Amino acid sequence: MNRESRHLSIGLLGPLSLRLDQKPVRTSAPKQRQVLALLAVNAGRTVTVPTLIDELWGDSPPRSFATTLQTYILQLRNALAAVDSGHPDARQLLSTRRHGYQLEEAVCETDVELFHHRVRTGREASEAGDHRYASEELSRALELWRGSALVGVRLGRVLEIEAQSLEEHRLKALELRIEADLHLGRHADLLGELTFVAAKHPMNENLCAFLMTALYRAGHVGRSLQAFHRLRSVLERELGIEPCPRLQRLRAAIVSGAGR
């Protein structure tokens, strides 16, 4: 078998899923799924043994950690081979490297990789002034999410950082898509979504600015100023700071009737 002819599809933006040539690969043991998730978010790169140990056990690895880790790797390879018993060398898709293990990039496709590609395309379109295409691409990127990142995976301190990073990228993509929609004059359609996400992220100044702008354009001047005052109260209470100058200028423009 030419291993490049095989195709691993991995879902990380929601419940963890793994498919080999469209066939589901069964992984159920919690630590086995941790190992798979860490290898998947680093597809094409070697995940070192110390990193895997840190993820699985933190500062308290068992004495038999080396043997136990090798068992998890063997279980994953067996799970790959079990999908198609006619090609047992599917085990080779999970390679042993000098200092760790690696999922072969040539045969892997993750929804994270596709998400980042679509976000880059959307951002480039926005920077070029093509806000309609930007909105479409960013919407397609966000549609890849099936829930929170790495649902159903026990998160050690390494994967916890990875999951937080993915969620931050998701929020930034949402901000970019909302900004593109505002450029397209879709402020009325955005009000419900913006009200919800701004409440969910009460210290996010970008979302507050978008909400203020949409409310102002929809004729809700009072509600727009209320959004500013809510943000200022939260920032003062939690961080002891005032909203950024951009928000201050937007508030002044709305008060003077010159809001965007």
Side-chain angles (χ1 to χ4, degrees), residues 49 53 57 61-73 101:
V49 169
I53 292 170
W57 297 292
R63 288 186 177 181
S64 60
F65 68 84
T67 301
T68 304
L69 177 58
Q70 289 170 1
T71 299
Y72 296 144
I73 296 296
Y101 302 93

Side-chain angles (χ1 to χ4, degrees), residues 230-241:
R230 280 195 302 272
L231 174 71
R232 183 166 66 180
S233 295
V234 172
L235 291 178
E236 287 179 344
R237 182 175 67 252
E238 299 295 331
L239 303 176
I241 62 174

